[in-house]
Coordinates of all heavy atoms in Angstrom, one line a residue:
A7 N 106.6 95.9 96.7 CA 106.4 94.8 95.7 C 105.0 94.3 95.6 O 104.3 94.1 96.6 CB 107.4 93.7 96.0
F8 N 104.5 94.1 94.4 CA 103.1 93.6 94.2 C 102.0 94.5 94.6 O 100.9 94.0 94.9 CB 103.0 92.2 94.8 CG 104.0 91.2 94.3 CD1 105.1 90.9 95.0 CD2 103.8 90.5 93.1 CE1 106.0 89.9 94.6 CE2 104.7 89.6 92.6 CZ 105.8 89.3 93.4
R9 N 102.3 95.8 94.7 CA 101.2 96.7 95.1 C 100.8 97.6 94.0 O 100.1 98.7 94.2 CB 101.7 97.6 96.3 CG 102.0 96.7 97.5 CD 102.1 97.6 98.8 NE 102.6 96.7 99.9 CZ 102.7 97.2 101.2 NH1 102.4 98.4 101.5 NH2 103.2 96.4 102.1
G10 N 101.2 97.2 92.8 CA 100.6 97.9 91.6 C 101.3 99.3 91.3 O 100.7 100.1 90.6
L11 N 102.5 99.5 91.8 CA 103.2 100.8 91.6 C 104.5 100.7 90.7 O 105.0 101.7 90.3 CB 103.6 101.3 93.0 CG 102.4 101.6 93.9 CD1 102.9 101.9 95.3 CD2 101.6 102.8 93.4
A12 N 104.9 99.5 90.5 CA 106.3 99.3 89.8 C 106.3 99.9 88.4 O 107.3 100.5 88.1 CB 106.6 97.8 89.8
F13 N 105.2 99.7 87.7 CA 105.3 100.2 86.3 C 105.4 101.8 86.3 O 106.2 102.4 85.5 CB 104.0 99.8 85.5 CG 103.9 100.6 84.2 CD1 104.6 100.2 83.1 CD2 103.1 101.7 84.1 CE1 104.6 100.9 81.9 CE2 103.0 102.4 82.9 CZ 103.7 102.0 81.8
Y14 N 104.6 102.4 87.2 CA 104.6 103.9 87.3 C 106.0 104.4 87.7 O 106.5 105.4 87.2 CB 103.5 104.4 88.2 CG 102.2 103.8 87.7 CD1 101.6 102.8 88.3 CD2 101.5 104.4 86.6 CE1 100.4 102.3 87.9 CE2 100.3 103.9 86.2 CZ 99.7 102.9 86.8 OH 98.5 102.4 86.4
D15 N 106.6 103.7 88.6 CA 108.0 104.0 89.0 C 109.0 103.9 87.8 O 109.8 104.7 87.6 CB 108.5 103.2 90.2 CG 107.9 103.6 91.5 OD1 107.2 104.7 91.6 OD2 108.0 102.9 92.5
A16 N 108.9 102.8 87.1 CA 109.8 102.5 86.0 C 109.6 103.6 84.9 O 110.5 104.0 84.3 CB 109.5 101.1 85.4
R17 N 108.3 104.0 84.7 CA 108.0 105.0 83.7 C 108.6 106.3 84.1 O 109.2 107.0 83.2 CB 106.5 105.1 83.5 CG 106.1 106.1 82.4 CD 104.6 106.2 82.2 NE 103.9 106.7 83.4 CZ 102.6 106.8 83.5 NH1 101.8 106.4 82.5 NH2 102.0 107.3 84.6
R18 N 108.5 106.8 85.3 CA 109.0 108.1 85.7 C 110.5 108.1 85.8 O 111.1 109.1 85.6 CB 108.3 108.6 87.0 CG 108.5 107.8 88.2 CD 107.5 108.2 89.3 NE 107.7 107.5 90.5 CZ 108.5 108.0 91.5 NH1 109.0 109.2 91.4 NH2 108.6 107.3 92.6
I19 N 111.1 106.9 86.1 CA 112.6 106.9 86.1 C 113.1 106.9 84.7 O 114.2 107.4 84.4 CB 113.0 105.6 86.8 CG1 112.7 105.7 88.3 CG2 114.5 105.3 86.6 CD1 112.9 104.4 89.1
G20 N 112.3 106.4 83.7 CA 112.7 106.4 82.3 C 113.0 105.0 81.8 O 113.3 104.8 80.6
Y21 N 112.9 104.0 82.6 CA 113.2 102.6 82.2 C 112.4 102.1 81.0 O 112.8 101.3 80.2 CB 113.0 101.6 83.4 CG 114.1 101.7 84.4 CD1 113.9 101.0 85.7 CD2 115.3 102.4 84.3 CE1 114.9 101.0 86.7 CE2 116.3 102.4 85.3 CZ 116.0 101.7 86.4 OH 117.0 101.7 87.4
T22 N 111.1 102.5 81.0 CA 110.1 102.0 80.1 C 110.4 102.5 78.6 O 109.8 101.9 77.7 CB 108.7 102.3 80.5 OG1 108.5 103.7 80.5 CG2 108.4 101.6 81.8
Y23 N 111.2 103.5 78.5 CA 111.3 104.0 77.1 C 112.5 103.3 76.4 O 113.3 102.7 77.0 CB 111.6 105.6 77.2 CG 110.4 106.3 77.8 CD1 110.4 106.7 79.1 CD2 109.3 106.6 77.0 CE1 109.3 107.4 79.6 CE2 108.2 107.2 77.5 CZ 108.2 107.6 78.8 OH 107.1 108.2 79.4
D24 N 112.5 103.5 75.1 CA 113.5 102.9 74.2 C 114.9 103.3 74.6 O 115.1 104.5 74.9 CB 113.2 103.2 72.7 CG 114.0 102.3 71.8 OD1 113.6 101.2 71.5 OD2 115.1 102.7 71.4
V25 N 115.9 102.4 74.5 CA 117.3 102.8 74.8 C 117.7 103.9 73.9 O 118.5 104.8 74.3 CB 118.2 101.5 74.6 CG1 119.6 101.9 74.6 CG2 117.9 100.5 75.7
S26 N 117.3 103.9 72.6 CA 117.7 105.0 71.7 C 117.3 106.4 72.2 O 117.8 107.4 71.7 CB 117.2 104.7 70.3 OG 115.8 104.8 70.3
K27 N 116.3 106.4 73.1 CA 115.7 107.7 73.6 C 116.2 108.0 75.0 O 115.7 108.8 75.7 CB 114.2 107.7 73.5 CG 113.6 107.5 72.1 CD 112.1 107.5 72.2 CE 111.6 107.3 70.7 NZ 110.1 107.2 70.7
G28 N 117.2 107.2 75.5 CA 117.8 107.4 76.8 C 117.1 106.5 77.8 O 117.4 106.6 79.0
G29 N 116.2 105.6 77.4 CA 115.5 104.7 78.4 C 116.3 103.4 78.6 O 117.5 103.3 78.4
G30 N 115.5 102.4 79.0 CA 116.1 101.1 79.3 C 116.7 101.0 80.7 O 116.8 102.0 81.4
R31 N 117.2 99.9 81.0 CA 117.8 99.7 82.3 C 119.1 98.9 82.1 O 119.2 97.9 81.4 CB 116.9 98.9 83.3 CG 117.5 98.6 84.6 CD 116.6 97.9 85.6 NE 117.2 97.5 86.8 CZ 116.7 96.8 87.8 NH1 115.5 96.3 87.7 NH2 117.4 96.5 88.9
T32 N 120.2 99.4 82.8 CA 121.5 98.8 82.7 C 121.8 97.9 84.0 O 121.1 98.0 84.9 CB 122.6 99.9 82.5 OG1 122.5 100.7 83.6 CG2 122.3 100.7 81.3
S33 N 122.9 97.2 83.9 CA 123.4 96.4 85.0 C 122.4 95.4 85.5 O 122.2 95.2 86.7 CB 123.9 97.3 86.1 OG 124.9 98.2 85.7
C34 N 121.6 94.8 84.6 CA 120.6 93.8 84.9 C 121.1 92.4 85.0 O 122.0 92.0 84.2 CB 119.5 93.9 83.9 SG 118.6 95.4 83.9
V35 N 120.6 91.6 85.9 CA 120.9 90.2 86.0 C 119.9 89.5 85.1 O 118.7 89.6 85.1 CB 120.7 89.7 87.4 CG1 120.9 88.2 87.5 CG2 121.7 90.4 88.3
V36 N 120.5 88.6 84.2 CA 119.7 87.9 83.3 C 120.1 86.4 83.3 O 121.3 86.1 83.2 CB 119.8 88.4 81.8 CG1 119.3 87.4 80.8 CG2 119.1 89.8 81.7
Y37 N 119.2 85.5 83.5 CA 119.5 84.0 83.5 C 118.9 83.5 82.1 O 117.7 83.5 81.9 CB 118.8 83.4 84.6 CG 119.1 81.9 84.8 CD1 120.4 81.5 84.9 CD2 118.1 81.0 85.0 CE1 120.7 80.2 85.1 CE2 118.4 79.6 85.2 CZ 119.7 79.2 85.3 OH 120.0 77.9 85.5
K38 N 119.8 83.1 81.3 CA 119.4 82.7 79.9 C 118.9 81.3 79.9 O 119.1 80.5 80.8 CB 120.6 82.9 79.0 CG 121.2 84.3 78.9 CD 122.4 84.3 77.9 CE 122.9 85.7 77.8 NZ 124.1 85.8 76.9

């Protein structure tokens, strides 16, 4: 955490791409 690697991990996992293209992240906790 906080070592500058999280974006690159999210990108290679596919989280950073649009849901319509198979990206996004599910089962997330959100405090509205």
Side-chain angles (χ1 to χ4, degrees):
F8 300 99
R9 298 195 189 182
L11 299 168
F13 170 79
Y14 303 101
D15 283 351
R17 182 176 67 183
R18 63 198 184 91
I19 291 169
Y21 287 168
T22 60
Y23 296 100
D24 192 87
V25 168
S26 66
K27 298 178 181 178
R31 180 179 172 184
T32 59
S33 303
C34 295
V35 174
V36 166
Y37 188 51
K38 298 181 182 180

